[in-house]
Amino acid sequence: MNSIPLSQQARPAAPAGQASYLDGLNPEQRAAVEALDGPVLVLAGAGTGKTRVLTTRLAHILATGRARPWEILSVTFTNKAAREMKERVGRLIGQGVEGLPWLGTFHSIAAQILRRHAELVELKSSYTILDTDDQLRLMKQIIQAEGIDEKRWTPRFLGSLIDGWKNRGWTPDRVPEDQKWIFAEGAGQKLYEIYQARLQVLNACDFGDLLLHNLTIFQNHPDVLREYHRKFRYLLVDEYQDTNVAQYLWLRLLAQGSHNICCVGDDDQSIYGWRGAEVDNILKFEKDFPGAKVIRLERNYRSTGHILGAAAGLIAANRARLGKTLWTEDDPGEKVQVKGIWDGEAEARYVGDEIERWVKDGRKHSDIAVLVRASWQMRAFEDRFLTLGLPYKVVGGPRFFERAEIRDAHAYFRLVRSSDDDLAFERIVNVPKRGVGETSVQKLAQVARGAGISMAEAARMLVETDEIRGPARTGLKVFLRDLDRWAQMAETMRHDELAEIVLDESGYTAMWREDKTPQAAGRLDNLKELVRAMGEYDSLEAYLEHVALVSDLDTASDGDEVSLMTLHAAKGLEFPLVFLPGWEETVFPSQRALDEGGTASLEEERRLAYVGITRARERAVITFTANRMIFGRWQSVLPSRFVDELPADHADASSETGYYDSGPGFEGFGEPANPMASSYSSPGWRRYQAATNEGRKGSPPVIEGKAKLIDSAESSSKWRAGDRVFHDKFGYGTVRRADGAKLTVAFDKAGEKKVVDSFVRELP
């Protein structure tokens, strides 16, 4: 075997000055393209030409003869990105590059490697990759065979847990002790072992196995790893900040050959920790690859100077970052606008008015994006856009009223109003599962059609006969009994209160609460927003009529639409005008991040805010409200700490008369502590400063026609030790201590927690 390092075996580069594809690169971009020997980390800020650098570097390696197409491993996160890179490289060097067999996603490349060496992990090369439905069916079979309560410990939860373990590179024998107890009182690891054994019998694997099996092969068979060391002279990795542990380990093993690995990414845009991404992978690059060259791309070609300055000031508060400052030679433009507004509905009206103003000035709807922290925030904006006739599209998901959990909830409410609604009945008679399978539903439909009655009436008949037995009969009896009770309650109870009871007593809310997948929390938030929205209508009939009309309204569009999406879905996109609503504590940063993740989660939330601001090219507008409907009651809320972190030189704060600063009870809080806040005319801003400035005390706001609210700036709380309270996340508990607005509560199931008193309510 040749002992000369692979990096030295490669042919020398041709003079760079002769390459036309290098024209137009700025000095930092060119340095990143031409640094071909040894490990390189390209810290590419938002809008700094990351993709151009990556594709030009690949073209440069090929054009200079440093490697042949099949000697380059290029890893992307999406198939679309891989296709675009191949096309752009071809244009740069003026020839086709079909011979790039190792350009693709982590999973597609890992699948190629596994096909070649499947027998080393006791598979055949013809193995099948299971989709999500097949995985869940297999896990359901395993859970049932082990006698585990499937309703409490769902297949979806087990699937999410095992996927997370695989993303961390853990085979069943490597699962840490504390992780074993997450599922079914210690059965998780055993079920993982059984699942892997079943996959082997089926000659199958799931997506997580592709990388995991690669790791097993490389670690247990050094000769195979050496083969790929000889094969790959260069490694290029896109979006390195989004890699998980398994991807990181895989790359490190492959890079041990030539050491010519170039990772392109931005630590300030690492926002996918909730799905396994590890920001530490990029932060420790220099430690992992000694002698690495770090090149910072800081010249931005997208946004104005003020937008970049505001984003830079915000992200500077993060400690876990390598550090860079974006700049531009273009005009500084308009300062980031920060608006204090009275409540959520006024916020939606303000955004709608601003969009109409933009379009009247000759600009397009498609220039605009509204970026929210959570999908439940979309409802108010969708309602307002439909009222105004503004064309819009929801990017990355369905519209609010088209979401599965909202359609399910509406089906329940329609049945409460009319039990003859067969479409609603069929949709949710077994959601959550009541033992009423497809066969029973078909039998109900057949009887209903034959007798000319509704399916509910058919069910009432069949539960009294022997035609439906066992769990199906029991489930139908309970369901019909509940429908009758809810219909009686509807005669005397407010419809929004009834809605909450229906969702709870039906088990629908519990179904999503027990679902441990990442999407479940968002679905619960959407249901809470649904109940809040219902309170704005006089009756259940009025609300359902509104939903029907909204669903029927489909504004004609030629593609010129406002984009409405979550901040996570906006990564990689850009718009001339960006609205960033809901910048309040517990909304953004989210309460979940504050409660569960500590400093790491808070810093990821701040990175998400940074991503949001840097989506804007010309104008960015941030809004926060003084009041939100929480637990069905109006409560005052504090502006996000991220608002406080925006530098005064780049952000201009104000309030909208009639929206925010006309409310009583917000005056007299004194001068703000932050220098930037001197430009803030919003009383809510002063209230925020008062609440966070030691020794300052404010008066609780009183909103006419609504409940009196408790301001977290109060020096005393209405709660006393021994009081029983309820918290939306932690459930029922007993107050142990009250320290101003902070409570120490012993929750029945969650244990002792510290909470703010405005987030608990008294028991009914």
Side-chain angles (χ1 to χ4, degrees), residues 282-297:
I282 193 169
L283 296 178
K284 63 183 181 180
F285 185 88
E286 291 178 272
K287 180 180 178 182
D288 290 335
F289 300 99
K293 181 178 292 185
V294 179
I295 299 171
R296 287 171 168 80
L297 303 184

Side-chain angles (χ1 to χ4, degrees), residues 46 105 136 196 367 377 382 533 539 575 616 762:
T105 64
L136 292 179
Q196 293 301 100
D367 291 343
Q377 294 173 260
E382 290 193 54
S539 65
F575 303 88
E762 57 188 324

Side-chain angles (χ1 to χ4, degrees), residues 95-374:
Q95 64 187 63
V97 287
E98 292 305 317
L100 283 170
W102 300 102
L103 192 161
T105 64
F106 278 98
H107 289 113
S108 66
I109 293 171
Q112 285 190 63
I113 293 173
L114 184 57
R115 293 279 178 204
R116 297 181 175 203
H117 310 284
E119 74 283 355
L120 298 181
V121 286
E122 301 184 36
L123 291 173
K124 300 174 184 176
S125 61
S126 59
Y127 67 81
T128 301
I129 302 175
L130 298 187
D131 61 21
T132 302
D133 288 341
D134 289 335
Q135 287 176 253
L136 292 179
R137 278 206 304 274
L138 181 55
M139 288 180 181
K140 181 176 181 178
Q141 293 171 10
I142 294 170
I143 289 172
Q144 290 176 340
E146 291 298 306
I148 295 171
D149 183 357
E150 166 188 358
K151 292 183 178 179
R152 181 180 179 189
W153 306 102
T154 65
R156 192 174 298 277
F157 179 18
L158 179 61
S160 177
L161 184 62
I162 290 177
D163 184 61
W165 288 344
K166 291 182 177 182
N167 286 341
R168 298 197 65 81
W170 294 338
T171 51
D173 59 304
R174 294 181 177 177
V175 175
E177 192 66 32
D178 62 323
Q179 291 283 319
K180 297 176 183 179
W181 293 91
I182 295 177
F183 190 90
E185 299 175 353
Q189 184 197 27
K190 179 183 177 183
L191 295 174
Y192 184 11
E193 290 176 347
I194 296 172
Y195 173 66
Q196 293 301 100
R198 286 286 293 140
L199 288 176
Q200 185 180 324
V201 170
L202 296 171
N203 190 37
C205 63
D206 58 29
F207 277 96
D209 281 324
L210 297 175
L211 280 162
L212 192 65
H213 286 327
N214 271 217
L215 292 176
T216 299
I217 291 168
F218 292 158
Q219 290 166 346
N220 295 343
H221 301 276
D223 57 321
V224 175
L225 181 58
R226 284 195 296 270
E227 174 188 338
Y228 288 96
H229 286 168
R230 291 191 293 270
K231 182 183 293 291
F232 299 136
R233 291 183 180 275
Y234 287 93
L235 286 76
L236 283 78
V237 186
D238 192 14
E239 304 286 8
Y240 188 60
Q241 79 281 348
D242 292 335
T243 53
N244 59 37
V245 173
Q247 292 162 341
Y248 161 79
L249 294 172
W250 185 80
L251 287 168
R252 278 199 66 187
L253 286 168
L254 289 172
Q256 288 172 358
S258 69
H259 297 287
N260 292 330
I261 181 172
C262 175
C263 295
V264 181
D266 184 2
D267 52 329
D268 291 334
Q269 295 189 74
S270 179
I271 59 174
Y272 297 116
W274 50 276
R275 68 183 189 195
E278 291 280 349
V279 70
D280 281 350
N281 292 350
I282 193 169
L283 296 178
K284 63 183 181 180
F285 185 88
E286 291 178 272
K287 180 180 178 182
D288 290 335
F289 300 99
K293 181 178 292 185
V294 179
I295 299 171
R296 287 171 168 80
L297 303 184
E298 298 174 303
R299 181 176 177 179
N300 180 279
Y301 294 93
R302 173 192 298 162
S303 305
T304 65
H306 280 313
I307 290 172
L308 297 178
L314 174 69
I315 199 64
N318 271 8
R319 295 182 180 179
R321 63 189 298 260
L322 295 172
K324 62 183 175 307
T325 303
L326 299 182
W327 61 275
T328 181
E329 290 183 343
D330 296 338
D331 188 274
E334 180 181 332
K335 287 187 177 183
V336 172
Q337 299 297 301
V338 182
K339 301 282 185 179
I341 298 176
W342 183 247
D343 62 20
E345 301 308 312
E347 183 179 54
R349 290 197 299 272
Y350 166 73
V351 171
D353 292 347
E354 288 295 297
I355 291 173
E356 288 191 318
R357 205 170 284 127
W358 177 272
V359 174
K360 284 179 182 178
D361 288 341
R363 306 299 296 270
K364 296 180 179 180
H365 292 100
S366 56
D367 291 343
I368 304 166
V370 180
L371 309 182
V372 298
R373 174 61 183 87

Side-chain angles (χ1 to χ4, degrees), residues 470-495:
R473 175 189 283 184
T474 303
L476 281 173
K477 279 187 174 180
V478 172
F479 182 55
L480 292 170
R481 182 194 65 202
D482 287 342
L483 282 179
D484 291 341
R485 186 178 71 260
W486 297 331
Q488 290 178 352
M489 295 169 68
E491 297 176 2
T492 57
M493 182 177 290
R494 278 187 54 84
H495 58 287

